[in-house]
Amino acid sequence: QQSGRKYNLFLKRRLRIDKRHQSKDSIFFRDGVRRIDFVLSYVDDINKEGDKKLERRREFESNLQKAGLELETEDKKESEDGKVFFVKIHAPWEVLITYAEVLNIKVPIRENDIPCTVENPLDCVLFPLRLPEKVMHPEPDYFTAPFSKDKQELYLINDQSTFFSPSMRNRIVNYILTRCPYGTEEGKKKFGIKRLLNNGTYTAAYPLHDCQYWKKANDPNCDSERYTLYMEWARFLRFYKEQPLDLIRKYYGEKIGIYFAWLGFYTEMLFLAAVVGLICFLYGLFTMDENMSSKEICDPAIGGEIIMCPLCDQECDYWRLNTTCESSQYSHLFDNVATLFFAIFMGIWVTLFLEFWKRRQARLKYEWDLVDFEEEQQQLQLRPEYEAKCTQKKRNPVTQEMEPYLPLTSQAVRFCISGATVLFWVSLIIASMIAVIVYRLAVYAAFASLMENTQTLQPISGLLTPQLATSVTASCLNFVIIMILNFFYERIAIWITDMEIPRTHMEYENRLTMKMFLFQFVNYYSSCFYVAFFKGKFVGYPGAYTYMFNRWRNEECDPAGCLIELTTQLTIVMAGKQIWGNIQEAIVPWICNWWGRRKARNNPENLYSRWEQDHDLQTFGALGLFYEYLEMVIQFGFITLFVASFPLAPLLALMNNILEIRVDSWKLTTQYRRPVAAKAHSIGVWQEILNGMAILSVVTNAFIVAFTSDMIPRLVYYYAYSENEDSPMSGYINNSLSVFLISDFPERNEPKANPENLVICRYRDYRYPPDHEKKYLHTMQFWHILAAKLAFIIIMEHVVFIVKFFVAWMIPDVPADVKARIKREKYLTQKILHEYELEKLKERLCQGDKQATEKEFIATEGRMELSRAM
């Protein structure tokens, strides 16, 4: 019986194939002429809600047709699973030209005749990195002007079906869909596809990809741009090639194009920082054996004879300084003279990156016709959710039209709730960080006793010290907590931003961006700030240690300094985030799509239609780019705020970004539905966030060099306290350790055993010995070092800031050739428009109405003269 059913199903499908010779892998209506600009999908509901949804769909689709759109429905019997209906939408010429004028879309009026003067002298060297000209520049450069229905003869309209690109068409249709009403419920007018998606009336709404990504479309009228993007851009083997930004912009829109332009430029600039960072690291590696501090620590006659005070109360034993020999050598990799140079270099690099990006952005604005673009109308217009939830209206002082508004009292209440929620979650992060600190303090004693008493760990005890073991495990625990908090907060941030009811799309994005960035800033960087600026700074001294909650003794730094622990923390969090991010971005969508398409995988092309193939892909939501920017900006913080502790951070970021560009392009081209095209002339509020982090990075790196590294104490010893002219740094370790009389230990701190009957032990600080009249008080050297640290911070900050501002002043935001081309294009465009108006006026003069038309003629000629003068 089962085989009989399968045979019947096969016959039905065979009939469907025979009935339709044309492949359903097409982007046109059944007539093969009208292009599918958008697709809506839905399933039938049998429950009570089903009748409501059916009525909403009827009303909505009826209103779409009244707006001029043409619809074609695919019955569920035609779908692969027999459950989903598909409504295909086509925007005819009249609709396109009407809304092109509303949206102020710029269209070609004449081919650009300004010769390109920019020549790169390295073109021959960079030839292997280039893509074919047809891929890099898929269409000629035109002079453009905002579309007007009354001036259609002015524009280069060769073919109405291809005059507006598919991305422009889906923008226009999406604009109509977001504002189309579908009835009245509870006395309120309801409208917009977003609400219909939220309440389940439709299951999806998306524009179509133009072909399958692995092969060109059979239809000769299709450009197969998706295939070109996949072959030339989205494959990892093309990682060394430049990005086809014009094609990305044409296919996905300016907003996605500007993201990939910024990411590519950021990656290019990272190359310089990575090379300098690698040189600084190699300097530390090659001078490791010459480092006097680690030599003295490793010397059995010096470090082997110095007995250090216990690192925890009662359970820990006295230990010899040379047990930290390996860790002191490795700390020199990152704590050396090159660290100071690299910190200053990165302060200047950040400025160069931001200033050169402004210039690159200005060039893109000119090339992509965004010069006069202030912000996408769609971004500045009221959000449908705002219009729906705000019942009160007032007159707009600019447009003099009545529009909805949110009362001040309601705004205040919503902001208070929002602020309290953000504050609660930031407090939760701080609480989790304190919990990790408590973990570090609690397990340190356990690690110390375990490593001393376990024979199997003896061979690696020099490398894996209790401090390092605690630091690594705490960093891993901290990373897990960061990921968990991120998962929950992302949903909370969206919920509270929705609750605030922002007025425009731009307001919504900016508010969500600030909330998410504030949270992620505290979440990712708090542990690094703790290790850099708090750990080992408030320890006290033997016999008078400071305690957290009067129970756990505060952590001490390694005798070689805390910088190696900051490096460990930074590496684990930064690398872990990048690996986890790439898994989330690439593997998870691929698995979801594989699972969703498993039944349709063996279907013939005639049955598995283009709209079904795209329906089974993941959705690239309105916040898709937001998460990409956030990921990169957090990475930018890691390589700028704490780069003095880890010169290899830019190299790690560079390798990640080379992969990131290809992962993002691959998932966008192969794993996601085609996003709705949107305009953007910049990276928006992220530019201000990057500027703020650039300024903060100068301060943090100055403090890291001064207070976290051993740079300043060594320099003070070298110039003021060294007594050996032949080897000025010899004796530094002995000088940096103070003496404590073991008999002065209170019962709470004293170790349980002292088998060697030791009398004194050493600890890391600058205090007077027990036989001095100022017993255990800070020495003058301590105050000299503190003054030197503060002086260094002030000098470094001022030097870097002066250089930064000077560089920013020297580099103009807009290149001179771009300025000239913008002026030339404006003049020529105005001339073309005025010549057109003159021709029209001359025609009217010939037809009559002579007096009124002569005045217009004189006025138009006056405008042309003014344009020439300008």
Side-chain angles (χ1 to χ4, degrees), residues 67-136:
L69 297 177
E70 296 173 4
L71 311 181
E72 185 176 88
T73 304
E74 290 285 334
D75 193 84
K76 65 180 179 181
K77 294 175 186 175
E78 300 291 325
S79 67
E80 185 274 326
D81 61 0
K83 296 177 183 177
V84 185
F85 292 85
F86 291 94
V87 181
K88 299 175 286 185
I89 302 174
H90 168 75
W93 177 252
E94 277 303 315
V95 172
L96 292 172
I97 60 175
T98 301
Y99 284 93
E101 190 168 4
V102 170
L103 291 173
N104 205 34
I105 290 176
K106 286 187 172 183
V107 292
I109 54 174
R110 184 184 292 180
E111 196 163 330
N112 192 338
D113 58 0
I114 302 174
C116 182
T117 55
V118 179
E119 290 184 5
N120 191 342
L122 300 176
D123 271 343
C124 296
V125 180
L126 299 176
F127 181 75
L129 311 181
R130 302 292 185 207
L131 287 172
E133 183 66 20
K134 192 177 179 183
V135 176
M136 286 303 296

Side-chain angles (χ1 to χ4, degrees), residues 11 39 262 300 328 352 441 455 467 510 527 546 749 752 830:
L11 285 177
V39 175
W262 176 80
S328 70
L352 290 173
L441 302 179
Q455 294 299 319
Q467 290 101 321
N510 288 351
S527 56
T546 53
N749 303 135
K752 291 178 179 177
Q830 286 175 351

Side-chain angles (χ1 to χ4, degrees), residues 106-114 133-144 156 158 162-163 168 223 225 246-247 249-250 366-369 821 825:
K106 286 187 172 183
V107 292
I109 54 174
R110 184 184 292 180
E111 196 163 330
N112 192 338
D113 58 0
I114 302 174
E133 183 66 20
K134 192 177 179 183
V135 176
M136 286 303 296
H137 305 290
E139 53 190 6
D141 190 17
Y142 294 104
F143 292 138
T144 58
L156 298 178
N158 299 321
T162 58
F163 180 67
M168 287 181 186
D223 292 332
E225 289 173 345
D246 287 348
L247 185 58
R249 171 243 183 170
K250 184 186 174 191
Y366 165 72
E367 291 172 357
W368 290 357
D369 293 320
R821 289 163 74 87
E825 181 168 335

Side-chain angles (χ1 to χ4, degrees), residues 631-700:
E631 180 187 1
M632 287 297 103
V633 170
I634 293 297
Q635 183 207 80
F636 181 81
F638 280 124
I639 68 158
T640 53
L641 296 176
F642 307 102
V643 76
S645 68
F646 191 35
L648 291 181
L651 182 62
L652 284 182
L654 175 65
M655 292 189 293
N656 175 78
N657 287 10
I658 291 170
L659 180 64
E660 180 77 21
I661 290 173
R662 303 304 155 179
V663 167
D664 285 351
S665 57
W666 174 81
K667 72 178 184 184
L668 201 61
T669 308
T670 67
Q671 304 301 308
Y672 282 89
R673 296 171 188 160
R674 186 174 184 170
V676 177
K679 277 187 174 288
H681 70 297
S682 69
I683 61 174
V685 72
W686 298 109
Q687 182 82 36
E688 300 308 315
I689 290 173
L690 292 173
N691 287 333
M693 292 180 81
I695 293 169
L696 181 61
S697 69
V698 178
V699 180
T700 55

Side-chain angles (χ1 to χ4, degrees), residues 433 440 471 475 525-537 555 557 562-567 569 708:
M433 188 189 73
R440 297 171 76 114
S471 182
S475 299
Y525 303 143
S526 57
S527 56
C528 293
F529 272 100
Y530 164 73
V531 175
F533 305 123
F534 296 98
K535 185 182 174 184
K537 308 296 185 293
E555 285 183 283
C557 283
C562 264
L563 201 70
I564 190 71
E565 292 190 45
L566 178 57
T567 305
Q569 178 79 25
T708 311

Side-chain angles (χ1 to χ4, degrees), residues 517-567:
F517 177 73
L518 174 64
F519 176 84
Q520 299 252 16
F521 184 91
V522 179
N523 198 15
Y524 280 109
Y525 303 143
S526 57
S527 56
C528 293
F529 272 100
Y530 164 73
V531 175
F533 305 123
F534 296 98
K535 185 182 174 184
K537 308 296 185 293
F538 310 100
V539 177
Y541 63 93
Y545 288 119
T546 53
Y547 289 82
M548 179 178 279
F549 306 128
N550 203 32
R551 181 175 177 182
W552 291 288
R553 194 173 116 186
N554 283 351
E555 285 183 283
E556 294 182 45
C557 283
D558 190 276
C562 264
L563 201 70
I564 190 71
E565 292 190 45
L566 178 57
T567 305

